[in-house]
Amino acid sequence: MKKLSILLCCLLFPLAAAAQERTGNINGIVTDKDGIPLPGVNITLTGPTVAPMTAQSNSEGRFRFLSLHPGDKFDIKLELQGFKTRSETGIII
């Protein structure tokens, strides 16, 4: 029984350590130059620790990317037909 307890502790410890990993989020609101929220904006996130991710702003212009691994070279590109494409680079998480 004691061996089983030790084995279980050894197997569960890495899971507990992985749960402690730090992550961050990026969220925001896309607006036009007059501050009016823009729904349906295509947002692409690229960075050193993630494959390219996409999102679309909701009816209030809000978007979010969750549980991102820390880094300092994330880029976001925002695109909407009829508007100029906007890019932000060097975002730190």
Side-chain angles (χ1 to χ4, degrees), residues 3-20:
K3 288 182 182 180
L4 180 61
S5 297
I6 292 172
L7 178 63
L8 285 175
C9 287
C10 291
L11 291 175
L12 294 176
F13 181 73
L15 294 175
Q20 302 301 317

Side-chain angles (χ1 to χ4, degrees), residues 1 4-5 14-15 20 28 31 33 36 42 51 53-54 61 63 65 67 74 77 80-81 85-87 90 93:
M1 185 67 168
L4 180 61
S5 297
L15 294 175
Q20 302 301 317
T31 62
K33 65 180 180 179
I36 299 171
N42 294 314
M53 301 171 69
T54 60
F63 70 93
F65 295 98
S67 300
F74 286 90
K77 183 166 77 170
L80 182 63
Q81 188 173 0
T85 297
R86 171 102 189 242
S87 295
I93 297 179

Side-chain angles (χ1 to χ4, degrees), residues 14-89:
L15 294 175
Q20 302 301 317
E21 186 174 339
R22 292 184 181 211
T23 61
N25 304 321
I26 295 177
N27 56 35
I29 301 174
V30 183
T31 62
D32 66 8
K33 65 180 180 179
D34 297 322
I36 299 171
L38 295 173
V41 176
N42 294 314
I43 304 149
T44 304
L45 174 71
T46 56
T49 59
V50 296
M53 301 171 69
T54 60
Q56 193 171 59
S57 61
N58 67 12
S59 60
E60 300 172 342
R62 296 179 186 276
F63 70 93
R64 64 185 182 171
F65 295 98
L66 303 175
S67 300
L68 302 168
H69 294 285
D72 62 354
K73 296 181 182 177
F74 286 90
D75 300 328
I76 289 184
K77 183 166 77 170
L78 300 101
E79 301 173 288
L80 182 63
Q81 188 173 0
F83 288 85
K84 186 176 181 180
T85 297
R86 171 102 189 242
S87 295
E88 295 289 331
T89 60

